[in-house]
mmCIF file of all heavy atoms in Angstrom:
data_model
loop_
_atom_site.group_PDB
_atom_site.id
_atom_site.type_symbol
_atom_site.label_atom_id
_atom_site.label_comp_id
_atom_site.label_asym_id
_atom_site.label_seq_id
_atom_site.Cartn_x
_atom_site.Cartn_y
_atom_site.Cartn_z
ATOM 1 N N ARG H 289 3.595 12.677 -8.300
ATOM 2 C CA ARG H 289 2.756 12.344 -9.448
ATOM 3 C C ARG H 289 3.590 12.531 -10.707
ATOM 4 O O ARG H 289 4.105 13.619 -10.981
ATOM 5 C CB ARG H 289 1.524 13.241 -9.485
ATOM 6 C CG ARG H 289 0.590 12.959 -10.667
ATOM 7 C CD ARG H 289 -0.622 13.865 -10.621
ATOM 8 N NE ARG H 289 -1.404 13.624 -9.416
ATOM 9 C CZ ARG H 289 -2.449 14.364 -9.073
ATOM 10 N NH1 ARG H 289 -2.822 15.394 -9.821
ATOM 11 N NH2 ARG H 289 -3.118 14.082 -7.959
ATOM 12 N N LEU H 290 3.727 11.458 -11.469
ATOM 13 C CA LEU H 290 4.507 11.489 -12.702
ATOM 14 C C LEU H 290 3.574 11.769 -13.879
ATOM 15 O O LEU H 290 3.269 10.896 -14.695
ATOM 16 C CB LEU H 290 5.254 10.167 -12.889
ATOM 17 C CG LEU H 290 6.126 9.724 -11.701
ATOM 18 C CD1 LEU H 290 6.755 8.380 -11.964
ATOM 19 C CD2 LEU H 290 7.177 10.774 -11.392
ATOM 20 N N GLY H 291 3.114 13.013 -13.936
ATOM 21 C CA GLY H 291 2.159 13.372 -14.971
ATOM 22 C C GLY H 291 0.900 12.540 -14.844
ATOM 23 O O GLY H 291 0.420 12.249 -13.745
ATOM 24 N N SER H 292 0.346 12.146 -15.973
ATOM 25 C CA SER H 292 -0.833 11.278 -15.973
ATOM 26 C C SER H 292 -0.468 9.810 -16.097
ATOM 27 O O SER H 292 -1.345 8.949 -16.143
ATOM 28 C CB SER H 292 -1.757 11.666 -17.136
ATOM 29 O OG SER H 292 -1.095 11.490 -18.383
ATOM 30 N N PHE H 293 0.857 9.519 -16.104
ATOM 31 C CA PHE H 293 1.291 8.135 -16.300
ATOM 32 C C PHE H 293 1.222 7.314 -15.023
ATOM 33 O O PHE H 293 0.701 6.187 -15.011
ATOM 34 C CB PHE H 293 2.713 8.115 -16.851
ATOM 35 C CG PHE H 293 3.303 6.733 -16.941
ATOM 36 C CD1 PHE H 293 2.844 5.822 -17.881
ATOM 37 C CD2 PHE H 293 4.313 6.341 -16.060
ATOM 38 C CE1 PHE H 293 3.386 4.538 -17.948
ATOM 39 C CE2 PHE H 293 4.849 5.072 -16.119
ATOM 40 C CZ PHE H 293 4.386 4.166 -17.064
ATOM 41 N N ALA H 294 1.745 7.848 -13.911
ATOM 42 C CA ALA H 294 1.831 7.039 -12.698
ATOM 43 C C ALA H 294 1.951 7.931 -11.463
ATOM 44 O O ALA H 294 2.255 9.127 -11.559
ATOM 45 C CB ALA H 294 3.024 6.083 -12.771
ATOM 46 N N ASN H 295 1.721 7.302 -10.315
ATOM 47 C CA ASN H 295 1.937 7.920 -9.015
ATOM 48 C C ASN H 295 2.969 7.086 -8.260
ATOM 49 O O ASN H 295 2.847 5.857 -8.181
ATOM 50 C CB ASN H 295 0.639 7.982 -8.214
ATOM 51 C CG ASN H 295 -0.433 8.788 -8.915
ATOM 52 O OD1 ASN H 295 -0.205 9.927 -9.314
ATOM 53 N ND2 ASN H 295 -1.613 8.201 -9.086
ATOM 54 N N ALA H 296 3.989 7.737 -7.714
ATOM 55 C CA ALA H 296 5.078 7.033 -7.043
ATOM 56 C C ALA H 296 5.113 7.414 -5.569
ATOM 57 O O ALA H 296 4.831 8.560 -5.200
ATOM 58 C CB ALA H 296 6.414 7.365 -7.697
ATOM 59 N N GLN H 297 5.467 6.437 -4.722
ATOM 60 C CA GLN H 297 5.619 6.695 -3.300
ATOM 61 C C GLN H 297 6.691 5.772 -2.740
ATOM 62 O O GLN H 297 6.793 4.600 -3.116
ATOM 63 C CB GLN H 297 4.317 6.488 -2.534
ATOM 64 C CG GLN H 297 4.416 6.847 -1.052
ATOM 65 C CD GLN H 297 3.121 6.657 -0.288
ATOM 66 O OE1 GLN H 297 2.934 5.655 0.393
ATOM 67 N NE2 GLN H 297 2.223 7.635 -0.395
ATOM 68 N N ALA H 298 7.515 6.300 -1.836
ATOM 69 C CA ALA H 298 8.524 5.516 -1.124
ATOM 70 C C ALA H 298 8.528 5.963 0.324
ATOM 71 O O ALA H 298 8.489 7.165 0.616
ATOM 72 C CB ALA H 298 9.895 5.702 -1.751
ATOM 73 N N ARG H 299 8.576 4.996 1.249
ATOM 74 C CA ARG H 299 8.459 5.306 2.677
ATOM 75 C C ARG H 299 9.472 4.490 3.473
ATOM 76 O O ARG H 299 9.699 3.303 3.209
ATOM 77 C CB ARG H 299 7.041 4.987 3.153
ATOM 78 C CG ARG H 299 6.810 5.257 4.641
ATOM 79 C CD ARG H 299 5.439 4.767 5.074
ATOM 80 N NE ARG H 299 4.364 5.573 4.523
ATOM 81 C CZ ARG H 299 3.822 6.623 5.148
ATOM 82 N NH1 ARG H 299 4.286 6.985 6.340
ATOM 83 N NH2 ARG H 299 2.833 7.288 4.593
ATOM 84 N N TYR H 300 10.087 5.162 4.462
ATOM 85 C CA TYR H 300 10.948 4.490 5.435
ATOM 86 C C TYR H 300 10.320 4.650 6.813
ATOM 87 O O TYR H 300 9.881 5.749 7.182
ATOM 88 C CB TYR H 300 12.345 5.096 5.437
ATOM 89 C CG TYR H 300 13.184 4.655 6.619
ATOM 90 C CD1 TYR H 300 13.747 3.391 6.658
ATOM 91 C CD2 TYR H 300 13.385 5.506 7.702
ATOM 92 C CE1 TYR H 300 14.500 2.976 7.739
ATOM 93 C CE2 TYR H 300 14.135 5.103 8.794
ATOM 94 C CZ TYR H 300 14.696 3.836 8.804
ATOM 95 O OH TYR H 300 15.430 3.435 9.889
ATOM 96 N N THR H 301 10.279 3.580 7.595
ATOM 97 C CA THR H 301 9.666 3.620 8.917
ATOM 98 C C THR H 301 10.585 2.948 9.923
ATOM 99 O O THR H 301 11.062 1.832 9.696
ATOM 100 C CB THR H 301 8.308 2.901 8.932
ATOM 101 O OG1 THR H 301 7.444 3.493 7.962
ATOM 102 C CG2 THR H 301 7.660 3.006 10.311
ATOM 103 N N THR H 302 10.829 3.635 11.023
ATOM 104 C CA THR H 302 11.508 3.027 12.161
ATOM 105 C C THR H 302 10.550 3.038 13.334
ATOM 106 O O THR H 302 9.866 4.040 13.586
ATOM 107 C CB THR H 302 12.817 3.774 12.509
ATOM 108 O OG1 THR H 302 13.447 3.108 13.614
ATOM 109 C CG2 THR H 302 12.561 5.229 12.852
ATOM 110 N N SER H 303 10.451 1.938 14.033
ATOM 111 C CA SER H 303 9.463 1.801 15.098
ATOM 112 C C SER H 303 9.996 0.857 16.158
ATOM 113 O O SER H 303 11.008 0.167 15.961
ATOM 114 C CB SER H 303 8.134 1.285 14.539
ATOM 115 O OG SER H 303 8.321 0.021 13.919
ATOM 116 N N GLY H 304 9.301 0.817 17.299
ATOM 117 C CA GLY H 304 9.741 -0.079 18.357
ATOM 118 C C GLY H 304 8.770 -0.132 19.502
ATOM 119 O O GLY H 304 7.786 0.615 19.564
ATOM 120 N N ALA H 305 9.068 -1.022 20.446
ATOM 121 C CA ALA H 305 8.266 -1.194 21.658
ATOM 122 C C ALA H 305 9.207 -1.380 22.832
ATOM 123 O O ALA H 305 10.198 -2.116 22.740
ATOM 124 C CB ALA H 305 7.331 -2.388 21.528
ATOM 125 N N ILE H 306 8.908 -0.709 23.953
ATOM 126 C CA ILE H 306 9.738 -0.748 25.148
ATOM 127 C C ILE H 306 8.855 -1.152 26.322
ATOM 128 O O ILE H 306 7.802 -0.539 26.559
ATOM 129 C CB ILE H 306 10.384 0.624 25.424
ATOM 130 C CG1 ILE H 306 11.200 1.074 24.203
ATOM 131 C CG2 ILE H 306 11.264 0.578 26.660
ATOM 132 C CD1 ILE H 306 11.669 2.506 24.296
ATOM 133 N N PHE H 307 9.286 -2.170 27.084
ATOM 134 C CA PHE H 307 8.495 -2.716 28.184
ATOM 135 C C PHE H 307 9.156 -2.413 29.526
ATOM 136 O O PHE H 307 10.369 -2.567 29.671
ATOM 137 C CB PHE H 307 8.330 -4.231 28.031
ATOM 138 C CG PHE H 307 7.513 -4.635 26.843
ATOM 139 C CD1 PHE H 307 8.097 -4.753 25.595
ATOM 140 C CD2 PHE H 307 6.151 -4.889 26.961
ATOM 141 C CE1 PHE H 307 7.349 -5.121 24.488
ATOM 142 C CE2 PHE H 307 5.400 -5.258 25.864
ATOM 143 C CZ PHE H 307 5.985 -5.375 24.623
ATOM 144 N N GLU H 308 8.341 -2.005 30.475
ATOM 145 C CA GLU H 308 8.823 -1.714 31.822
ATOM 146 C C GLU H 308 9.356 -2.979 32.494
ATOM 147 O O GLU H 308 8.759 -4.051 32.413
ATOM 148 C CB GLU H 308 7.668 -1.133 32.643
ATOM 149 C CG GLU H 308 7.987 -0.925 34.112
ATOM 150 C CD GLU H 308 6.743 -0.654 34.925
ATOM 151 O OE1 GLU H 308 5.639 -1.019 34.467
ATOM 152 O OE2 GLU H 308 6.874 -0.065 36.005
ATOM 153 N N ASN H 309 10.523 -2.846 33.163
ATOM 154 C CA ASN H 309 11.114 -3.927 33.956
ATOM 155 C C ASN H 309 11.299 -5.214 33.154
ATOM 156 O O ASN H 309 11.168 -6.318 33.691
ATOM 157 C CB ASN H 309 10.262 -4.216 35.205
ATOM 158 C CG ASN H 309 10.159 -3.025 36.126
ATOM 159 O OD1 ASN H 309 11.088 -2.226 36.228
ATOM 160 N ND2 ASN H 309 9.017 -2.887 36.796
ATOM 161 N N ASP H 310 11.572 -5.072 31.870
ATOM 162 C CA ASP H 310 11.800 -6.246 31.008
ATOM 163 C C ASP H 310 10.651 -7.245 31.081
ATOM 164 O O ASP H 310 10.855 -8.465 31.065
ATOM 165 C CB ASP H 310 13.115 -6.948 31.381
ATOM 166 C CG ASP H 310 14.323 -6.046 31.174
ATOM 167 O OD1 ASP H 310 14.301 -5.256 30.203
ATOM 168 O OD2 ASP H 310 15.285 -6.123 31.963
ATOM 169 N N ALA H 311 9.424 -6.734 31.171
ATOM 170 C CA ALA H 311 8.262 -7.611 31.242
ATOM 171 C C ALA H 311 8.092 -8.432 29.973
ATOM 172 O O ALA H 311 7.519 -9.521 30.000
ATOM 173 C CB ALA H 311 7.003 -6.787 31.505
ATOM 174 N N ALA H 312 8.564 -7.945 28.860
ATOM 175 C CA ALA H 312 8.556 -8.672 27.595
ATOM 176 C C ALA H 312 9.762 -8.190 26.797
ATOM 177 O O ALA H 312 10.493 -7.279 27.220
ATOM 178 C CB ALA H 312 7.253 -8.433 26.832
#
């Protein structure tokens, strides 16, 4: 929170999906 002037946020996300037997 930058005083009463502004609210700041920054986010980094790493994600993934793994399929059995290369089904997809």
Side-chain angles (χ1 to χ4, degrees):
R289 180 179 298 174
L290 307 177
S292 62
F293 174 71
N295 300 308
Q297 184 179 99
R299 179 187 290 268
Y300 167 76
T301 303
T302 181
S303 60
I306 303 170
F307 294 84
E308 174 193 21
N309 299 328
D310 298 324

